[in-house]
Amino acid sequence: MAIPTPGQPVRGSRSGAPIMALFDLLGRRWGMGILWHLSQGPCSFRELQQRCETISPTILNRRLKELREALFIERCDKGYCLTPLGSDLQKLLVPLGAFSRTWAEVLPHEEASS
Amino acid sequence: MAIPTPGQPVRGSRSGAPIMALFDLLGRRWGMGILWHLSQGPCSFRELQQRCETISPTILNRRLKELREALFIERCDKGYCLTPLGSDLQKLLVPLGAFSRTWAEVLPHEEASS
DNA sequence: CATGAGCGCTACAAATTATGTAGCACCCGG
DNA sequence: CCGGGTGCTACATAATTTGTAGCGCTCATG
């Protein structure tokens, strides 16, 4: 499972359009979630695992490797943290948080129906 | 494979935080890519399949169902198109395009090495 | 030095998702 | 009736993710 790289063929673009490489990387399960949770501050592997609530260590470790290779995340004394580049990316994700709340209101609610 | 819904348990949040539901939905393979390609204008199922270059009809259809249920996409005379809500979401994705190009420059290039 | 608690990380089998190919049923123009 | 387009499904195979257990390491405490 090679890490998607701009310029190389990736899912969504044989020519490796950067946006498609990014989508491929972030579109892997937990990709965006890890960036999101890590933006709350640096933390250890196990702490991150708990922030994600239900991620398995196998996949956390794999995503961590990929995101490190992509230069979004790096090791630090506290465990893991975002790089400046990763932080830039995370900031672009923030508006999605606001959007998602609007979305949640618009969507037909599926309360535990009586 | 239930569609992630804010308020229901989703991957990344047992309590169904809207942002995690959104990440779960968009984080499925091709999720963001479909929105991206569809923003180029409404098109037919097969045309969309070609814009995505390498998507299988099985998964295109599944994502389409999910995204329609999430109110991001709807049917129209030309085939499929973004809803206003979906269009809002897609606009939030646009900055990622610019970011991805910066990223592509920063990343060590893996040219076809001699 | 033994114990316990934390760390990053890996193994492995089972379950879930995605891929690729083929092809259905439908409609339209020739 | 034939060719070409549409949306979409079936099915076997492959890839990815999950969940659980536990390794080897370090550090603080007794």
Side-chain angles (χ1 to χ4, degrees):
Chain A
M1 192 182 33
I3 188 177
T5 308
Q8 308 289 118
V10 294
R11 265 184 284 251
S13 170
R14 284 183 242 271
S15 59
I19 186 64
M20 286 301 146
L22 188 61
F23 281 168
D24 190 357
L25 184 58
L26 296 183
R28 293 174 181 187
R29 210 137 289 162
W30 293 104
M32 292 185 286
I34 289 173
L35 287 178
W36 187 269
H37 286 304
L38 213 44
S39 75
Q40 296 169 18
C43 70
S44 70
F45 186 94
R46 286 186 169 173
E47 159 71 9
L48 189 53
Q49 206 179 340
Q50 290 188 327
R51 288 187 190 175
C52 289
E53 296 190 31
T54 59
I55 196 174
S56 71
T58 316
I59 221 59
L60 175 55
N61 188 38
R62 189 177 298 180
R63 284 297 100 84
L64 246 20
K65 271 183 193 156
E66 294 167 358
L67 293 171
R68 272 201 280 173
E69 203 166 326
L71 306 182
F72 295 154
I73 280 182
E74 63 190 353
R75 302 294 316 256
C76 63
D77 54 344
K78 301 233 185 62
Y80 290 95
C81 59
L82 294 176
T83 62
L85 187 65
S87 184
D88 287 347
L89 176 55
Q90 195 277 332
K91 285 185 193 109
L92 297 181
L93 257 32
V94 172
L96 289 180
F99 174 87
S100 70
R101 287 187 290 277
T102 311
W103 175 56
E105 287 168 17
V106 172
L107 216 51
H109 297 268
E110 294 184 21
E111 317 286 346
S113 57
S114 53
Chain B
M1 192 182 31
I3 189 175
T5 307
Q8 307 290 118
V10 294
R11 263 183 285 252
S13 169
R14 285 184 241 269
S15 59
I19 186 64
M20 287 302 146
L22 188 61
F23 281 169
D24 190 357
L25 185 59
L26 295 183
R28 293 175 180 185
R29 208 138 290 160
W30 293 104
M32 293 185 284
I34 289 173
L35 287 178
W36 187 268
H37 286 304
L38 213 45
S39 75
Q40 297 168 18
C43 70
S44 70
F45 186 95
R46 288 191 165 164
E47 160 71 9
L48 188 53
Q49 206 179 340
Q50 290 187 327
R51 288 186 190 175
C52 289
E53 295 191 31
T54 57
I55 196 173
S56 71
T58 315
I59 222 58
L60 175 56
N61 188 255
R62 190 176 299 179
R63 286 297 99 84
L64 246 19
K65 273 182 191 155
E66 294 167 358
L67 293 172
R68 271 202 281 174
E69 203 165 326
L71 305 182
F72 296 154
I73 280 182
E74 62 190 353
R75 301 293 317 254
C76 62
D77 54 344
K78 301 232 184 64
Y80 291 95
C81 59
L82 294 177
T83 62
L85 188 66
S87 183
D88 288 347
L89 176 55
Q90 194 276 332
K91 284 185 193 108
L92 297 181
L93 257 31
V94 171
L96 290 179
F99 174 86
S100 70
R101 288 188 289 278
T102 310
W103 175 56
E105 287 169 16
V106 171
L107 217 52
H109 297 268
E110 295 183 21
E111 315 287 346
S113 55
S114 56

